Amino acid sequence: CHRTCRAVCVVTTCLGRGRWVPGRAPYHPEKGQFRPDMSGDGDGKCELFLKYSQVGVCCGFLLNQHYNPAFVSLQMMKHAWDNYKRYAWGLNELKPISKQGHSSNLFGNIQGATIVDALDTLYIMEMKEEFKEAKEWVEKSLDFSVNADVSVFEVNIRFVGGLLSAYYLSGEEVFRKKAVELGEKLLPAFNTPTGIPWALLNIKSGIGRNWPWASGGSSILAEFGTLHLEFVHLSHLSGNPVFAEKVMNIRKVLNRLDKPEGLYPNYLNPSSGQWGQHHVSIGGLGDSFYEYLLKAWLMSDKTDEDAKKMYYDAVQAIETHLIRKSSGGLTYIAEWKGGLLEHKMGHLTCFAGGMFALGADGAPSDKTGHHIELGAEIARTCHESYDRTRMKLGPEAFRFDGGVEAIATRQNEKYYILRPEVIETYMYMWRLTHDPKYREWGWEAVEALEKHCRVDGGYSGIRDVYINHENHDDVQQSFFLSETLKYLYLLFSEDDLLPFEHWVFNTEAHPLPVLHKDDGNKEENQK
Ligand code: DMJ
């Protein structure tokens, strides 16, 4: 049958019944293939296809089934959520192979990380029933009275961030209340001689400490530097200035310190106020500190000049000392250790492509195009890191030495744990350039996820992306629902869904509104 012919036939049936007809579904989940003529389960909702199809009518999905956000919500998010609900409801994460709950010690005994992390994704994807059940769980069961150490950073970005977004999107008071309650529990972490918070906090006793492995008892840049957006909003929503004061103090401490070559080391001692080991990274341990400088400026409606200056100065130093081009022409961001470069780039570092592009607008006028170009180059390098694997999913870290480019060489760097950063960069690059290759690359990731990570009981990470068979790690990370799937959905949606003029995404992809100065937020922005 001619494609148009089939499309028309499906349109007619689809419009008539309001549902896809079994036998016509274009996607076969088990086989991970896209075949318009293959039988499927036919559970896609017609309205969604009508609403989002690029051609404008239902048949658009068949003729142009790529890049459809409905696929991400109806096939992917639903599968991830339904299985979490079935096998791990109320626990932090799902083990999709063993079909049971998984709890990382990052959250102490706080439970429900997947529920709180997924709230806004469910809302944005219009999964109303699921959002309702998640909200009911938060109302009845989300409990912070635990006697255990939690990671201040992880709890902030996932729980506080998730609750704040859920509140701003839905207006439901319970989320505001819970976010403020949790924010208050985190405040004792700042009781250090400098006010630089501890990494870990017992939220019952209020006693804090640092990771035993962190250079000389230091706090971590990416951890204490990734509280700003949420804490400013906590002050905004509670009327209590203490949250914003705490994070503004971190800024002051950092501004007083000398920086080696203008770079920020990853370790800072909260007692002495001195840098620890001079290790600089735009990936793990450093990453979201830079992200939050830029986003603090954007979230303040571009009034937080301090954050702006810190961001562009930092990018300048990163360009001079860390960014390099391989002989094969790939731009990458190396790690800096006391002046020596390690020519390795982490999957986490790939978020920086989106960051550079997002910040291009505010860069000194002769640099705007350059920052976009830098974002595009990082996106290309990270895409190569995916493309050069068997599974077309990127490794945890890839190297540019020993005769390789954008390839993991060490066994313990070959895994993929459903991380979002590369897709995040595609989403920013798409919105800011509309170059169709970013949607194509995003769709490649969808196909690879469906083929290799989708299992009966949800989605699982992979231990080695360079071999032929899947060795699953049996964890469905909560950030797969909050970030990876949300960024895919946004990548294939119109730009007016959570437009950048009004929203910034926290580092866990939870959207927070820009505090527009015309709306009486002048004070917040200047605190
Ligand atoms: C997320 O929890 C956040 O994006 C964080 O900033 C870094 N890594 C994970 C996902 O990879």
Side-chain angles (χ1 to χ4, degrees):
C1 174
H2 189 273
R3 282 191 125 200
T4 317
C5 193
R6 181 182 297 117
V8 170
C9 153
V10 172
V11 172
T12 317
T13 330
C14 181
L15 286 175
R17 297 192 191 179
R19 293 184 73 78
W20 287 105
V21 182
R24 292 289 187 192
Y27 179 71
H28 193 293
E30 270 73 54
K31 301 220 164 139
Q33 290 169 353
F34 295 83
R35 295 264 311 274
D37 57 346
M38 191 177 265
S39 297
D41 54 14
D43 65 352
K45 286 188 192 117
C46 185
E47 321 83 79
L48 275 172
F49 297 123
L50 274 169
K51 189 165 166 198
Y52 292 116
S53 111
Q54 299 193 341
V55 177
V57 287
C58 208
C59 65
F61 187 63
L62 274 188
L63 295 174
N64 193 1
Q65 57 191 279
H66 283 37
Y67 324 143
N68 197 309
F71 182 84
V72 180
S73 52
L74 296 175
Q75 289 288 350
M76 302 180 80
M77 183 67 181
K78 194 156 169 37
H79 185 66
W81 178 261
D82 284 351
N83 280 291
Y84 166 76
K85 188 175 148 192
R86 187 153 172 210
Y87 300 115
W89 184 247
L91 302 172
N92 279 326
E93 289 172 321
L94 164 70
K95 285 164 89 68
I97 306 281
S98 35
K99 299 184 175 165
Q100 59 185 27
H102 167 77
S103 246
S104 134
N105 54 9
L106 296 171
F107 314 119
N109 296 333
I110 303 179
Q111 294 298 330
T114 295
I115 298 180
V116 179
D117 237 1
L119 278 165
D120 54 7
T121 308
L122 295 171
Y123 190 92
I124 293 160
M125 292 182 178
E126 299 180 53
M127 297 171 69
K128 295 190 175 140
E129 267 314 297
E130 290 85 351
F131 180 79
K132 194 167 153 254
E133 63 203 4
K135 183 192 134 199
E136 281 165 12
W137 185 88
V138 169
E139 266 163 348
K140 291 193 194 118
S141 310
L142 182 59
D143 181 13
F144 305 130
S145 57
V146 300
N147 183 6
D149 285 356
V150 304
S151 156
V152 175
F153 161 77
E154 294 290 353
V155 166
N156 176 60
I157 65 170
R158 302 193 204 206
F159 284 85
V160 178
L163 291 164
L164 286 172
S165 285
Y167 171 70
Y168 280 116
L169 290 168
S170 71
E172 299 279 359
E173 175 63 12
V174 58
F175 300 126
R176 191 193 70 85
K177 230 177 98 235
K178 290 274 181 190
V180 176
E181 181 192 335
L182 181 54
E184 283 165 355
K185 297 235 173 223
L186 295 180
L187 285 174
F190 294 83
N191 295 340
T192 64
T194 55
I196 294 291
W198 300 112
L200 298 161
L201 178 75
N202 180 308
I203 58 175
K204 180 150 193 269
S205 66
I207 295 174
R209 64 182 174 98
N210 275 338
W211 297 106
W213 48 262
S215 170
S218 292
S219 301
I220 308 288
L221 183 69
E223 298 197 328
F224 65 77
T226 310
L227 304 168
H228 196 100
L229 306 183
E230 297 81 1
F231 275 54
V232 166
H233 268 289
L234 287 175
S235 279
H236 179 70
L237 288 181
S238 66
N240 183 350
V242 69
F243 301 103
E245 285 163 11
K246 296 287 183 201
V247 288
M248 287 314 287
N249 176 61
I250 297 178
R251 199 84 55 89
K252 278 191 202 131
V253 173
L254 289 174
N255 272 328
R256 278 200 299 265
L257 281 166
D258 281 340
K259 285 138 212 102
E261 310 286 0
L263 296 165
Y264 290 82
N266 290 337
Y267 300 103
L268 179 62
N269 190 301
S271 304
S272 66
Q274 299 300 310
W275 298 118
Q277 194 193 338
H278 281 193
H279 173 202
V280 177
S281 159
I282 315 308
L285 308 179
D287 48 6
S288 41
F289 161 69
Y290 305 96
E291 176 186 358
Y292 271 35
L293 290 178
L294 172 64
K295 290 180 176 176
W297 175 59
L298 295 173
M299 199 180 84
S300 71
D301 206 5
K302 304 190 176 172
T303 59
D304 185 346
E305 290 294 329
D306 216 19
K308 180 183 184 189
K309 178 167 176 7
M310 288 171 80
Y311 172 73
Y312 290 105
D313 287 353
V315 172
Q316 182 64 58
I318 290 165
E319 272 216 78
T320 309
H321 298 288
L322 272 65
I323 298 190
R324 294 290 178 265
K325 200 171 243 191
S326 70
S327 50
L330 294 178
T331 301
Y332 62 96
I333 313 178
E335 308 220 341
W336 190 87
K337 290 186 171 163
L340 295 176
L341 283 187
E342 187 178 9
H343 298 271
K344 156 187 146 178
M345 185 163 167
H347 192 289
L348 290 164
T349 320
C350 287
F351 92 94
M355 178 180 75
F356 292 141
L358 182 66
D361 213 19
S365 51
D366 56 324
K367 290 266 170 107
T368 301
H370 173 67
H371 280 221
I372 285 271
E373 190 43 41
L374 199 52
E377 286 179 25
I378 298 298
R380 183 163 80 91
T381 299
C382 292
H383 175 255
E384 285 301 315
S385 80
Y386 274 50
D387 206 43
R388 294 176 187 197
T389 70
R390 276 272 161 96
M391 295 191 186
K392 307 291 174 201
L393 291 167
E396 180 67 5
F398 43 94
R399 298 196 173 248
F400 296 85
D401 55 17
V404 303
E405 299 202 354
I407 290 179
T409 50
R410 304 186 183 185
Q411 193 53 41
N412 64 0
E413 293 172 346
K414 294 185 177 173
Y415 62 89
Y416 172 68
I417 56 168
L418 305 173
R419 285 200 192 278
E421 292 77 16
V422 176
I423 292 164
E424 172 181 353
T425 277
Y426 296 162
M427 191 281 289
Y428 281 104
M429 292 309 304
W430 161 256
R431 282 242 180 142
L432 296 163
T433 67
H434 285 160
D435 183 332
K437 75 171 175 243
Y438 297 113
R439 279 187 163 173
E440 281 158 29
W441 291 351
W443 199 260
E444 286 170 15
V446 165
E447 289 181 306
L449 284 164
E450 291 303 290
K451 195 162 175 202
H452 301 293
C453 300
R454 185 180 177 118
V455 293
D456 246 16
Y459 287 86
S460 167
I462 300 278
R463 291 186 206 278
D464 185 343
V465 289
Y466 292 93
I467 56 177
N468 262 334
H469 65 278
E470 292 92 8
N471 190 354
H472 290 119
D473 70 3
D474 199 13
V475 181
Q476 178 175 284
Q477 305 278 346
S478 77
F479 55 67
F480 181 65
L481 292 88
S482 73
E483 295 194 73
T484 313
L485 294 179
K486 188 188 288 135
Y487 285 134
L488 280 170
Y489 189 77
L490 292 173
L491 172 64
F492 304 131
S493 296
E494 298 302 319
D495 295 356
D496 60 1
L497 181 58
L498 300 171
F500 291 169
E501 311 91 86
H502 299 303
W503 297 91
V504 293
F505 294 87
N506 91 338
T507 195
E508 188 79 358
H510 296 305
L512 298 171
V514 169
L515 294 167
H516 288 293
K517 45 185 183 276
D518 310 340
D519 301 340
N521 293 312
K522 219 169 176 178
E523 276 180 30
E524 236 97 37
N525 289 335
Q526 283 168 359
K527 251 170 219 153

